[in-house]
Amino acid sequence: MSVTAGFWLLLFAVCVLLGLGRSRWGIIPYLQTAFAFPAYFWWGQSGVLKGPRWSLISGVVLLISVLVHLKPRPACAKSGPTRLFSLLLFATSLNAVIVTFFWSSNFAVASATMFEGLKVALLGYLIELAISDEHDFDFVLILMVLGIGFLGFEATVFKAGEMVHGRLEGLGPPGANGSNQLACLTVTLLPIIGGVAMTGRGWKRWTAVLAAPFAINMLLLCNSRGSFLGIGAAAFALLALARGKERRLVIIGMCLGGLGLLFLLKDAAIIERFVTTFAGEENRDKSAQSRVDFWKAGLNCVADHPLGIGGGCYKSQVSIRYIAHLSTIPRSVHNGPLDEMISWGIQGLLLRLGLLATAMYCLKLGSSLFSRLGNTSRSFQGLTLVSGLVGYIVSSFFGDFLDAEWGVWMCALAAAYLRLALVAQATARATESYSMNLVEQPHPFEYPIVT
């Protein structure tokens, strides 16, 4: 066994034991198997790490850890948006079950995709439950910073993965092993890195500062047009939502990030690929044009099967009926919303978009509450999560990952963030830290959720 494999196994075992004492430690084994899945690295492809199903084991560990420490939530932490988050996550899963059993074109393929989705939904619940206070929340954020920083470090320093046609492949969590998926994951978490770098303290801030260039470089190596658009949309959303001190933090962060991007952006092929996104049909490269054709074929499938055909069925089998003039083998639709409609029906897409919209509402509302309490750092943190979700959604328009695992991570963090904001508001009231003016003129968002 190599030293790296031994360290990985030791960390896993220690955190399993620590998870019995506090549920947040149970998150480490799961994220450890996500960002450093042994089979994807040379040190885990043989020996004791090769055999076990680490993702399943880590999920069970997190489940046990949460159940051991499960406690009733205070009344002040309950709200309409957080209840809606749970309801929509359940409804999305229920719809997948119904479509799989009644309308799937291939039950074996659809059921495998369905069970994977159910596991991800359960994971979302567990992450939200594992976060009991603001320290836990910060703990999960820094874990994600470490995870994406680790992948960027491996890609940059040790050249992990492989470059295929100028794009980084074969590096990333299960479900994000391709260049487009890994780029989408990176775009989703980059605003979190920026938030921790701008508002964190001590070692957390410097960890984010060190992780940022590796993550940005990995994004460039992935060379994904959709994710380039996603990071632009994320930056615009953050700038548009920020106010006062928050906007100053955003501008500083964007300037630093822009300088780092210019320093790393040395490959002319990356710029050329991005420019083709906006080219007309006569100038668009073959890859971009074929993607538009695949989207049209996907819309035809939705018109024929508005209630869905089951997850994975289009890519593995059904697509050949609609793209026979484009390809002799089945292909994916390369569009998240379309893939969601094809797989789980129009109702499935509405539920998924409702879940994401609820997460954004939770974050914006929580950020407003923290801002009123004078906690600029925590308020800015919520805006960075909104930015990450925007980047995720925009990137998902160019790949089949609107239902990706990291999207559910973000929704779980959003629900936990609003709950923490409500607890902070209640604590401030109890200690009479509100001014009389704020008591007499409550925030317009407050009454619908606080009784």
Side-chain angles (χ1 to χ4, degrees):
M1 180 187 296
S2 68
V3 174
T4 305
F7 175 78
W8 190 98
L9 192 59
L10 177 63
L11 177 62
F12 189 92
V14 169
C15 291
V16 168
L17 294 176
L18 291 174
L20 299 176
R22 191 178 179 95
S23 56
R24 73 181 187 186
W25 290 98
I27 298 177
I28 292 183
Y30 190 86
L31 293 182
Q32 183 181 347
T33 59
F35 289 105
F37 192 66
Y40 291 171
F41 298 91
W42 65 267
W43 44 264
Q45 294 175 354
S46 62
V48 68
L49 295 183
K50 183 180 179 179
R53 298 179 61 184
W54 292 110
S55 295
L56 177 61
I57 294 172
S58 61
V60 172
V61 168
L62 178 56
L63 174 63
I64 294 173
S65 180
V66 169
L67 292 177
V68 167
H69 301 286
L70 191 61
K71 296 179 181 178
R73 297 283 169 79
C76 64
K78 298 177 181 178
S79 68
T82 54
R83 293 190 185 100
L84 185 59
F85 156 76
S86 299
L87 178 62
L88 286 172
L89 196 55
F90 174 78
T92 300
S93 301
L94 179 61
N95 177 69
V97 172
I98 293 173
V99 172
T100 298
F101 278 90
F102 292 97
W103 299 305
S104 61
S105 62
N106 187 318
F107 181 78
V109 173
S111 60
T113 307
M114 176 198 71
F115 281 118
E116 187 64 31
L118 293 178
K119 288 189 291 184
V120 171
L122 177 60
L123 174 66
Y125 282 121
L126 294 178
I127 290 178
E128 197 274 335
L129 290 172
I131 299 173
S132 58
D133 56 33
E134 293 185 30
H135 296 294
D136 290 350
F137 191 80
D138 292 335
F139 184 80
V140 175
L141 292 187
I142 198 63
L143 288 180
M144 292 184 176
V145 171
L146 286 168
I148 202 69
F150 166 77
L151 289 177
F153 180 81
E154 286 284 329
T156 303
V157 178
F158 294 115
K159 310 300 180 184
E162 57 181 334
M163 298 301 294
V164 180
H165 302 301
R167 307 180 68 189
L168 179 63
E169 303 280 357
L171 176 69
N177 207 231
S179 58
N180 288 325
Q181 295 91 331
L182 181 57
C184 179
L185 171 64
T186 306
V187 166
T188 305
L189 299 187
L190 264 177
I192 294 179
I193 295 177
V196 175
M198 297 302 297
T199 64
R201 296 181 179 179
W203 69 272
K204 293 180 180 178
R205 166 175 288 179
W206 290 110
T207 298
V209 169
L210 292 173
F214 291 118
I216 293 173
N217 187 60
M218 181 169 63
L219 178 63
L220 295 176
L221 291 175
C222 289
N223 199 4
S224 168
R225 278 179 292 234
S227 293
F228 291 156
L229 291 175
I231 198 65
F236 177 79
L238 188 57
L239 187 61
L241 292 172
R243 294 291 184 273
K245 294 180 180 179
E246 296 164 356
R247 176 162 288 185
R248 285 196 290 274
L249 289 174
V250 171
I251 294 174
I252 293 172
M254 285 186 176
C255 290
L256 294 175
L259 290 174
L261 181 61
L262 290 174
F263 176 77
L264 293 170
L265 193 57
K266 302 174 182 177
D267 190 347
I270 294 175
I271 300 176
E272 292 172 4
R273 181 176 172 82
F274 175 71
V275 169
T276 60
T277 304
F278 307 99
E281 185 171 345
E282 66 280 2
N283 297 320
R284 190 180 293 127
D285 67 20
K286 183 178 179 181
S287 174
Q289 180 57 50
S290 62
R291 184 161 299 188
V292 173
D293 293 333
F294 288 148
W295 293 352
K296 293 177 181 178
L299 286 172
N300 291 333
C301 183
V302 172
D304 293 340
H305 306 278
L307 296 179
I309 61 173
C313 294
Y314 184 84
K315 179 180 179 179
S316 64
Q317 186 178 36
V318 176
S319 61
I320 196 65
R321 305 176 196 169
Y322 297 92
I323 62 170
H325 61 294
L326 300 172
S327 174
T328 58
I329 59 174
R331 299 287 296 272
S332 64
V333 72
H334 292 291
N335 183 285
L338 274 176
D339 182 65
E340 198 75 7
M341 283 193 291
I342 292 170
S343 299
W344 311 120
I346 296 174
Q347 74 283 1
L349 175 62
L350 293 176
L351 289 170
R352 180 68 60 179
L353 293 179
L355 178 65
L356 294 170
T358 300
M360 287 192 180
Y361 181 74
C362 287
L363 292 168
K364 186 62 179 72
L365 182 53
S367 179
S368 297
L369 293 175
F370 276 122
S371 180
R372 293 179 59 226
L373 294 170
N375 193 337
T376 302
S377 296
R378 193 67 69 183
S379 175
F380 179 71
Q381 195 176 61
L383 297 183
T384 62
L385 290 169
V386 173
S387 173
L389 270 174
V390 170
Y392 165 72
I393 293 170
V394 172
S395 298
S396 296
F397 272 89
F398 300 88
D400 304 336
F401 28 78
L402 189 64
D403 59 345
E405 181 176 330
W406 52 95
V408 177
W409 295 352
M410 297 292 284
C411 292
L413 288 173
Y417 178 79
L418 176 57
R419 172 165 49 81
L420 297 176
L422 292 171
V423 171
Q425 175 186 251
T427 302
R429 282 183 165 176
T431 56
E432 298 181 351
S433 62
Y434 269 359
S435 68
M436 289 301 296
N437 181 56
L438 289 177
V439 172
E440 292 171 0
Q441 300 179 15
H443 194 276
F445 281 127
E446 182 178 329
Y447 284 129
I449 62 169
V450 180
T451 58

